[in-house]
Amino acid sequence: MAINVAGKSIETDEEGYLTNLGDWSEEVANEIAKAENVDMSQNHWEVVNFLREYYNEYQIAPAVRVLTKAIGKKLGPDKGNSKYLYELFPYGPAKQACKIAGLPKPTGCV
Amino acid sequence: MLHIVNKSPTERSALASCLAHARKGGAVLLIEDAVYAATKGSAAQASVERALRELPVYALGPDLDARGMGASVIDGVKVVDYGGFVDLVIEHRTSQSWL
Amino acid sequence: MTQVAEDIEREAGAEAVVKKFMFVNRKAPHGTIYALEGLEVVLISAAFDQDVSLAFLDDGVYQLLKGQETKAIGVKNFSPTYRALEGYDVEKLYVERESLEARGISEQQLLVAVQVVSAGEMAELMEQQDVIISS
């Protein structure tokens, strides 16, 4: 599969995750979000950027529980809970936000 | 604890490491290429005999036979079949594979 | 999901008691897939709220060395992931002293905080487990 961004074709797997992490850009993220019916707000970007930083540091996409805890630590308890994260990403913060962040599917997600 | 080893003692250090961690009350089961350790004249013979003073050592018969070693087993090593393998797993609370 | 993860789920789901799981690492990181897959199983199993510990002995201690750069051999450098374990509430990392010494490695060369134990202490820790998963 592939998505088209600014006339360029970017390869994804059959579930829509980027094949090459290096292909990611904010435009690519917006395009994936559109396909997921997610309207990217400041709050969405906060989570997506957090995920990219986490991946950069640890080389994995975090499990939902770990993401929730880490977000709470960094952005405060009103954001570090699954209700908040699921409101932003209804199909699951780990799966959907990771996809928009250009990361692979979190380990342990099937 | 049942310690299961499946690598030849002259190719890998799995058996040596296993014997360094096995404790009284446990048992060692040699399967696949590890059965060579249970045979007379192997470089591992001395360490297997030392282990036998502390705990029982078993070797899987079908693996010995497949390698032409069925008649060369070190005294004291007990040969078991697949049923005996299962019994050993049941007898011990935990098992650990030394891969 | 891997077979091991399914086994863990079954073990964990059978009763609500917390079991002691130890993941034993005895292989160097990049020559085989054991170390990476073992680490993935640890991350998956962390979701089951069990008492998880990791043991590093023999060549497994090489997994924790600082300064691994895998770009040129074309494999994923998963060594930074060991530092994520704390966030997964996996905080018991045991490293065998004899294995470090046999490889000329000091504790300062490891990329994460660990507890260095003797072979005898490691054997004792193994005895205390309910489940041991080796890789």
Side-chain angles (χ1 to χ4, degrees):
Chain A
M1 272 170 59
I3 49 170
N4 286 299
V5 181
K8 230 179 95 183
S9 174
I10 287 169
E11 202 187 329
T12 69
D13 69 11
E14 68 277 9
E15 292 178 90
Y17 291 86
L18 291 190
T19 307
N20 303 304
L21 276 61
D23 286 341
W24 189 88
S25 65
E26 291 195 6
E27 294 74 54
V28 170
N30 277 321
E31 206 57 45
I32 300 171
K34 212 189 291 169
E36 294 278 326
N37 282 322
V38 171
D39 196 5
M40 292 295 284
S41 70
Q42 199 55 42
N43 289 338
H44 289 89
W45 280 112
E46 207 170 47
V47 175
V48 164
N49 288 330
F50 181 88
L51 276 171
R52 289 187 60 80
E53 282 166 30
Y54 186 96
Y55 189 86
N56 202 30
E57 184 162 357
Y58 299 119
Q59 300 298 305
I60 48 164
V64 185
R65 184 175 62 92
V66 178
L67 172 71
T68 309
K69 202 171 68 175
I71 292 252
K73 226 174 179 178
K74 186 163 184 203
L75 306 172
D78 51 325
K79 294 183 175 176
N81 60 77
S82 48
K83 184 173 176 288
Y84 173 79
L85 293 171
Y86 271 92
E87 273 166 10
L88 291 177
F89 302 99
Y91 285 92
K95 276 193 183 181
Q96 210 166 28
C98 281
K99 195 185 280 186
I100 295 167
L103 308 187
K105 202 159 69 163
T107 301
C109 267
V110 277
Chain B
M1 169 150 37
L2 176 65
H3 298 271
I4 304 169
V5 183
N6 75 339
K7 299 293 190 299
S8 158
T10 33
E11 195 201 344
R12 307 281 188 92
S13 61
L15 178 70
S17 194
C18 163
L19 295 181
H21 294 88
R23 287 287 176 273
K24 253 200 176 89
V28 175
L29 170 62
L30 306 171
I31 64 168
E32 300 170 19
D33 283 349
V35 297
Y36 290 118
T39 60
K40 288 173 184 156
S42 148
Q45 181 169 358
S47 54
V48 167
E49 285 171 344
R50 211 174 311 122
L52 277 168
R53 283 181 232 144
E54 300 289 326
L55 73 182
V57 178
Y58 301 88
L60 193 62
D63 282 329
L64 282 163
D65 293 338
R67 289 161 179 78
M69 288 292 194
S72 328
V73 179
I74 295 168
D75 295 338
V77 173
K78 296 181 195 125
V79 177
V80 293
D81 57 13
Y82 288 111
F85 187 158
V86 174
D87 291 339
L88 284 170
V89 172
I90 294 167
E91 275 168 36
H92 294 86
R93 195 176 67 87
T94 49
S95 30
Q96 176 174 15
S97 294
W98 295 80
L99 301 174
Chain C
M1 203 184 256
T2 64
Q3 182 60 49
V4 177
E6 282 171 26
D7 289 346
I8 291 168
E9 187 163 47
R10 200 162 42 240
E11 291 259 8
E15 54 216 80
V17 298
V18 173
K19 288 191 172 186
K20 289 171 82 79
F21 280 74
M22 176 178 264
F23 294 87
V24 177
N25 298 279
R26 294 186 47 253
K27 308 256 187 225
H30 307 300
T32 65
I33 196 77
Y34 283 94
L36 173 57
E37 295 215 327
L39 182 56
E40 285 183 348
V41 174
V42 171
L43 294 172
I44 293 164
S45 72
F48 299 108
D49 287 326
Q50 300 295 299
D51 180 352
V52 171
S53 63
L54 271 67
F56 297 87
L57 56 152
D58 299 333
D59 282 358
V61 301
Y62 286 132
Q63 293 175 25
L64 297 180
L65 268 185
K66 280 179 194 161
Q68 298 177 44
E69 295 284 352
T70 62
K71 209 170 206 149
I73 62 167
V75 300
K76 183 184 169 82
N77 181 8
F78 55 90
S79 65
T81 307
Y82 292 101
R83 288 190 286 103
L85 288 172
E86 195 186 353
Y88 280 74
D89 297 320
V90 175
E91 288 165 335
K92 284 180 258 184
L93 275 61
Y94 303 109
V95 175
E96 190 169 286
R97 180 173 299 116
E98 287 84 341
S99 302
L100 288 174
E101 284 169 359
R103 288 159 185 80
I105 300 170
S106 68
E107 193 180 342
Q108 290 70 43
Q109 288 171 270
L110 305 181
L111 49 76
V112 70
V114 301
Q115 229 176 303
V116 176
V117 299
S118 70
E121 289 166 329
M122 188 66 93
E124 188 51 44
L125 287 164
M126 288 171 173
E127 291 287 347
Q128 294 164 6
Q129 305 303 315
D130 295 306
V131 181
I132 294 191
I133 296 168
S134 308
S135 61

